[in-house]
Amino acid sequence: MREDHRTQHLHNHQRNKLSMITTLFTRTAAYVVVVLLSYAMGYLSHSSPPQPTQAPPPPPSVFQLANLPTQLDNFRVAAHCSNSPLPPHLVFPTILDRVFNGSSPYTNFPPPHLSPFLKKKRIKSSGSNGAVFEQLIKRVKPKVIVEVGTFLGPSALHMVNVTRKLGLQTQILCLDDFRGWPGFKDIKMINGDVLLLQQFMQNVVYFNATDSVLPVPFSTGSGLEKLCEWGITADLLEIYSGHDFISAWGDINRAYRILRPGGVIFGHDYFTPADNRGIRRAVNLFAEMNNLKIQTDGHYWVIDTAFAK
């Protein structure tokens, strides 16, 4: 019995030793596998050199923007210009149809309820009859003139007189919202409406120019976009509106889209106390971007697109 017990004890001891060796071998093998996998993953992750970080390109300058397919892409003008410019004899009929529902705004004007508030004529010239008008009209011989900013119409009516003297059949569109400005009190206001459009029309009637002058009573921005969309182009364009840079910049660039090739665009107050912060800055930048030459005549600026730099 004692011999059997010793034999059984020896077998148990050998079994325990084998179990410990097996466990140790298994743990060691697992550790080795983990180390090898870690090494392999590290090697693979560093086997290709890191790619250099590229610096972002510098933003384009305003002159680089000018070289886009059209120099006006950066102004986000929503309307597209017609690919078929209207012949001059269709300009007035198109305005009458699109703006005044097919009838002349001068028909039965002024209505009886407005007559007491309008003067027979009310013109404030403010340099609107300078020699530059006749010089440009003689040179261009325009069939269509668009005036951007009109007020009471002194420039437009002066140009009517010049074209008549020269024997020209010229149509003049006067684009203005005819609202004046905040605090404007020179003309009677009725129910919040300043009668600026009506007084302008009365001036046109007084000078017997209803066949030559039509108002386009909208803001310069929306009005110029519509003229462009309708295919209306001008031989001569006068900018006579806002003096700040933003207003002048928008008007000049939108107006340029409806100027026929070789036409002339001009405006007033190139020399003002604002110096290079208003109209002059807008005109100079526009001319530089479009490779055009600026001429001056008194306080007027003139750009003849037939003469590039």
Side-chain angles (χ1 to χ4, degrees):
M1 284 293 293
R2 180 176 299 176
E3 184 66 23
D4 291 340
H5 178 73
R6 289 181 61 187
T7 301
Q8 182 67 33
H9 178 75
L10 180 60
H11 284 311
N12 290 339
H13 176 73
Q14 289 177 345
R15 190 183 301 114
N16 291 337
K17 184 176 180 180
L18 179 61
S19 177
M20 290 176 61
I21 292 172
T22 303
T23 303
L24 179 61
F25 176 79
T26 303
R27 290 180 178 176
T28 303
Y31 176 79
V32 171
V33 170
V34 170
V35 170
L36 288 175
L37 285 175
S38 299
Y39 177 81
M41 293 178 65
Y43 175 80
L44 291 175
S45 65
H46 290 83
S47 60
S48 59
Q51 298 296 323
T53 302
Q54 294 183 350
S61 68
V62 68
F63 297 108
Q64 289 174 322
L65 289 174
N67 293 323
L68 293 173
T70 167
Q71 71 272 21
L72 295 173
D73 282 352
N74 53 311
F75 300 115
R76 303 177 184 273
V77 179
H80 297 283
C81 290
S82 172
N83 294 323
S84 303
L86 286 176
H89 70 276
L90 292 181
V91 169
F92 266 29
T94 298
I95 294 297
L96 291 176
D97 179 59
R98 301 270 190 163
V99 178
F100 299 107
N101 296 327
S103 61
S104 172
Y106 300 111
T107 301
N108 299 322
F109 183 86
H113 70 283
L114 290 182
S115 294
F117 304 106
L118 302 176
K119 294 184 177 180
K120 288 187 176 181
K121 68 169 182 175
R122 181 171 184 159
I123 300 292
K124 291 185 176 182
S125 61
S126 183
S128 297
N129 55 358
V132 65
F133 290 95
E134 186 164 350
Q135 292 169 4
L136 292 178
I137 290 173
K138 281 182 178 179
R139 187 201 309 176
V140 178
K141 296 179 175 56
K143 294 182 178 180
V144 177
I145 298 174
V146 173
E147 183 178 54
V148 181
T150 264
F151 194 49
L152 291 169
S155 297
L157 293 170
H158 174 63
M159 288 189 284
V160 168
N161 291 332
V162 172
T163 56
R164 286 174 175 173
K165 184 173 71 172
L166 297 175
L168 301 175
Q169 300 295 320
T170 305
Q171 302 172 91
I172 303 176
L173 298 180
C174 295
L175 176 60
D176 199 306
D177 62 7
F178 295 100
R179 294 293 305 165
W181 48 86
F184 178 70
K185 298 179 180 179
D186 290 358
I187 295 177
K188 182 72 174 180
M189 178 183 289
I190 298 179
N191 297 116
D193 182 26
V194 178
L195 302 182
L196 189 55
L197 172 61
Q198 291 80 359
Q199 185 60 63
F200 163 83
M201 293 173 60
Q202 176 60 42
N203 292 339
V204 175
V205 169
Y206 179 84
F207 285 98
N208 193 29
T210 56
D211 291 335
S212 303
V213 178
L214 266 182
V216 183
F218 300 102
S219 69
T220 56
S222 61
L224 286 168
E225 286 189 8
K226 282 301 177 183
L227 295 182
C228 196
E229 184 181 311
W230 297 336
I232 293 175
T233 60
D235 306 298
L236 185 62
L237 262 164
E238 182 195 6
I239 307 295
Y240 191 75
S241 50
H243 287 60
D244 63 284
F245 172 78
I246 296 298
S247 298
W249 178 251
D251 289 344
I252 293 169
N253 281 281
R254 286 190 173 97
Y256 184 59
R257 303 183 82 202
I258 68 167
L259 185 66
R260 70 160 176 79
V264 173
I265 182 171
F266 73 109
H268 72 149
D269 288 347
Y270 186 70
F271 300 104
T272 67
D275 193 40
N276 201 33
R277 300 186 301 276
I279 292 176
R280 194 194 315 177
R281 178 185 170 203
V283 172
N284 290 350
L285 181 57
F286 169 79
E288 185 68 27
M289 288 180 64
N290 293 282
N291 198 34
L292 297 169
K293 183 179 179 181
I294 303 169
Q295 298 174 313
T296 58
D297 188 317
H299 67 280
Y300 280 86
W301 57 271
V302 179
I303 295 178
D304 189 335
T305 61
F307 302 103
K309 284 185 179 179

